[in-house]
Structure formats: structure tokens, C-alpha cells
Amino acid sequence: MLALSRKKGEGIIIGDDIELIVIDISKDGVKLGINAPKNVPIHRKEIYLQIQEENKMAVDTNEETAEMLKNMFGKK
């Protein structure tokens, strides 16, 4: 992991078109501003992990459903 020190108002550039700016720093956290193309998904990590888990569960469910349908229609 790359660790960078930034002060309020400073930023970093990721690739050619993503910019992170430190908007505010407080005792409880850091507020970041993000400039990125609209096609780049941006999520809080906990939300991203939740989406990944739900997608995994949907795939697993679809595989179970596909197997059930295969068994139903495969039998004559």
C-alpha cells in the first residue's frame, strides 16, 4: 500500500483522470473530494464489500436455480 501525507486543500492524482482532494480534517475523520469520470464507480469500502457479497449470493442462487430447473426439465 502506498501511503501519502496530505494537508487540507492538497490532493493526489490517480491515473490521468481521477483526483482526490482533502477537503477537511477533523478529530473524527477526513472529508475527501473526488473528481472522476462518471463511468468510474465510487463507493465507501463497506458499501463496496456489501455489493460484492450480494452479487456473489445472487450468482450462487442463480446456479442453484439453474440446477433445480435442469433437474426438473431434464427428467422425463
Side-chain angles (χ1 to χ4, degrees):
M1 173 188 299
L2 173 65
L4 300 171
S5 297
R6 302 280 63 202
K7 296 177 181 173
K8 184 177 176 181
E10 295 180 337
I12 63 170
I13 303 293
I14 301 172
D16 291 330
D17 51 7
I18 299 174
E19 179 184 27
L20 298 176
I21 301 170
V22 178
I23 294 174
D24 194 22
I25 303 168
S26 68
K27 190 172 76 174
D28 296 328
V30 176
K31 182 181 277 186
L32 299 173
I34 303 166
N35 289 316
K38 292 194 181 297
N39 64 338
V40 175
I42 300 171
H43 304 283
R44 291 180 177 92
K45 183 176 181 179
E46 62 273 17
I47 301 299
Y48 175 80
L49 293 174
Q50 185 178 0
I51 291 169
Q52 295 298 309
E53 185 62 31
E54 289 178 9
N55 286 343
K56 183 180 174 188
M57 288 173 34
V59 169
D60 290 344
T61 300
N62 287 339
E63 288 176 1
E64 290 174 13
T65 302
E67 187 64 30
M68 184 179 72
L69 291 172
K70 183 178 173 184
N71 289 335
M72 287 175 61
F73 295 108
K75 295 179 181 177
K76 291 190 176 189

